[in-house]
Structure formats: structure tokens, C-alpha cells
Amino acid sequence: MKTLTVNSVITTLQLWDTAGQEYRSITEQYYRKADAILAVYDITDSLSFTAVRGWMDSVKQYEALFYECSAKTGRNMDELMIHLA
């Protein structure tokens, strides 16, 4: 859970971590009512990037935005969370 205030409105985001390789076992019923899906990969690991393509194929009928963020440095994470809220 991540709670933030955007434009004086308090919003709580519920974030699920699917641990990457589990994407095949997650069906549309889990994300069909979601407001957003984050497809995350490791830019230094080509297998990680390739694996995320399965997610992208699953949700390609939805509009998508691309945010390049860093879990290591925190770069663009606040911007992403504010956009989600």
C-alpha cells in the first residue's frame, strides 16, 4: 500500500508484486479491474526484458505509458506514483 496526497486529495494505491516469472499463472481476472499495471524489468538483464514481453502481450489492448525508473536510485519513482494516483 502506498498513500500519497495529490492536489489535496489523499489516495491509497494497492500495489501487487507478482515476482516476474509468475505472470503466466496470473489470469485476466486478477487485473481486469485494475487501474494500472506496471511491467517491470531489469535493464541490465536481457532475459528480464524478454520475459516482460509476455505481460505486454497480455495487456496490449490497453493504453500504455512508459516510465523509466530505478529501484536502485529511486529515479522517477515519485513521478510514477503521482501519475498512478
Side-chain angles (χ1 to χ4, degrees), residues 21-22 35-36 70:
Q21 68 276 15
E22 297 176 13
D35 293 315
S70 173

Side-chain angles (χ1 to χ4, degrees), residues 68-80:
E68 186 172 303
C69 302
S70 173
K72 184 177 181 178
T73 67
R75 186 175 145 250
N76 284 335
M77 291 304 298
D78 288 340
E79 292 82 355
L80 171 61

Side-chain angles (χ1 to χ4, degrees), residues 4 11 13 15 35-38 67 79-85:
L4 5 120
T11 303
L13 305 174
L15 306 169
D35 293 315
I37 296 171
L38 301 177
Y67 275 83
E79 292 82 355
L80 171 61
M81 292 301 143
I82 289 168
H83 184 89
L84 289 173

Side-chain angles (χ1 to χ4, degrees), residues 12-41:
T12 300
L13 305 174
Q14 182 180 21
L15 306 169
W16 292 21
D17 183 349
T18 63
Q21 68 276 15
E22 297 176 13
Y23 82 89
R24 294 181 196 278
S25 66
I26 297 174
T27 63
E28 187 176 326
Q29 67 181 335
Y30 288 99
Y31 60 81
R32 66 184 162 148
K33 292 185 180 180
D35 293 315
I37 296 171
L38 301 177
V40 181
Y41 61 93

